[in-house]
Amino acid sequence: MNANLTRYLRNYIDISDDEVELFQAALKTKTIQKKDYLLKEGKTCTARYFITKGYFRHFYIDTKGNEQIVHFGIENWWITDYASLVNTTPSKMYIQAMEDAEYLELSQDALEALYIKLPKIERFFRIIMEKTYIASQQRIEYMFSLSGKQLYETFILANPEFANRVPQYMLASYLGLTPEFISKIKSK
Amino acid sequence: MNANLTRYLRNYIDISDDEVELFQAALKTKTIQKKDYLLKEGKTCTARYFITKGYFRHFYIDTKGNEQIVHFGIENWWITDYASLVNTTPSKMYIQAMEDAEYLELSQDALEALYIKLPKIERFFRIIMEKTYIASQQRIEYMFSLSGKQLYETFILANPEFANRVPQYMLASYLGLTPEFISKIKSK
DNA sequence: GATAAATCTTAATCATGATTAAGTGATCCT
DNA sequence: AGGATCACTTAATCATGATTAAGATTTATC
């Protein structure tokens, strides 16, 4: 029984110990080595992953062959490719461990059974999706309104600990900038 | 009883006629005149709106004083400001009717009562949020990968009818471009 | 129908940040 | 330890698309 996940659940829904156990019974604890993949292009994503240790990057390969990072996944966050998971279509995405990592796997099949057994889980993921969507919209607003320099500085300010954990060139990719440009920002 | 909304509900969940009626009873049918606002900056958003006629723009005023459009809302779509609605905080956004319009208003209070009376509505909005989030992610990918010209052409191709309905300068704002640049694209 | 307001166009100049290229340190691997 | 890959830096050049400014055209209003 994962204490962080329990706390996380209870942030959003009222849930008894028994119900938490039912939820956690649907999860498989797994480990993965640095640089290995949770998902690769062409595979259909069939699960959501709750990260308990390490961090992941979620990226695709664009038309010029560059790896474009769309998200980082860190401890106590869910990571998955919703486009592939929800529509059961082959993914265009990669999800890769950036450190040796641990996570809880919630397969879509197990989740659908849970929705029936425990309808409040439906509520939980409804709320999670609302939060996730709001964050996505916030990011779009930043992309519209901020200069490259401001994007970088806003990220560093909001995620100071994480910024040191990630190679600069991956941060650049996530922000839609080049490593050279980040270098230029920092030198001033 | 709105036939479009019923069809829309049944795209996502199994729901009886009686239950549809219960859902529709929570909705208020309203009209609004062109250029009037569903939401203004500083007000807290307290409802979701299902558009049945006309279209809306959802925008904020950026630091330079420009209106930045984040979304258009068209017939048979929901529109609301999730950031304000979910966190019950004053909105930074405006939602404005671009034509004389009709919509169904679902207040957050009514929705929360519905979640309890009719838990499958929780499921419905969980699914809607997943779809909405996937669209938001797709948009971020476009913003990363496409040139201004490609952004414009992709939008026109995906929304040919709508592109004629919207002034060019608003489309420019939505795409993060200037009207002058759109003009340049079209002249070639 | 006349006037005003809103929208679109053209063209010159400018700025942000990409691209290219080279070089410098780190870190990993045997 | 030595070589190789990986990560970061610097600097010159380039391109996309913004800004500015003016004019043209369309639409709304009385």
Side-chain angles (χ1 to χ4, degrees), chain A residues 89-146:
Chain A
T89 52
S91 182
K92 293 171 299 182
M93 296 289 180
Y94 299 80
I95 300 178
Q96 184 187 31
M98 298 310 301
E99 301 171 349
D100 287 351
E102 291 173 13
Y103 61 95
L104 307 174
E105 179 178 308
L106 174 58
S107 78
Q108 192 59 14
D109 287 350
L111 179 56
E112 270 157 25
L114 261 183
Y115 282 152
I116 293 166
K117 229 185 297 180
L118 208 58
K120 63 178 65 170
I121 294 304
E122 194 96 61
R123 182 181 187 85
F124 173 70
F125 280 106
R126 192 262 301 160
I127 296 170
I128 295 297
M129 283 317 301
E130 284 176 355
K131 299 277 180 189
T132 304
Y133 175 70
I134 290 168
S136 179
Q137 284 303 110
Q138 175 65 260
R139 185 158 173 217
I140 288 176
E141 285 165 41
Y142 282 156
M143 288 171 76
F144 276 136
S145 297
L146 302 186

Side-chain angles (χ1 to χ4, degrees), chain B residues 67-86:
Chain B
E67 295 176 351
Q68 173 60 57
I69 297 177
V70 295
H71 280 298
F72 294 108
I74 64 174
E75 284 94 351
N76 301 320
W77 285 34
W78 292 94
I79 192 163
T80 188
D81 180 9
Y82 285 100
S84 172
L85 183 81
V86 168

Side-chain angles (χ1 to χ4, degrees), chain B residues 11 36 41 66 111 140:
Chain B
N11 262 338
D36 281 352
E41 180 171 11
N66 299 316
L111 179 55
I140 289 176

Side-chain angles (χ1 to χ4, degrees), chain A residues 60-76:
Chain A
Y60 66 95
I61 302 205
D62 71 15
T63 46
K64 290 172 210 142
N66 300 316
E67 295 176 350
Q68 174 61 56
I69 296 176
V70 294
H71 280 298
F72 294 107
I74 62 173
E75 285 93 350
N76 301 319

Side-chain angles (χ1 to χ4, degrees), chain B residues 79-98:
Chain B
I79 192 163
T80 188
D81 180 9
Y82 285 100
S84 172
L85 183 81
V86 168
N87 302 316
T88 55
T89 52
S91 182
K92 293 170 298 179
M93 298 287 180
Y94 298 80
I95 300 177
Q96 185 187 31
M98 298 310 301

Side-chain angles (χ1 to χ4, degrees), chain A residues 64 147-149 176-178 180-181 184:
Chain A
K64 290 172 210 142
S147 68
K149 187 163 182 286
L177 305 171
T178 57
E180 292 84 353
F181 184 62
K184 203 196 262 180

Side-chain angles (χ1 to χ4, degrees), chain A residues 168-182:
Chain A
Q168 218 87 68
Y169 75 98
M170 288 195 188
L171 196 48
S173 170
Y174 174 75
L175 297 173
L177 305 171
T178 57
E180 292 84 353
F181 184 62
I182 301 267

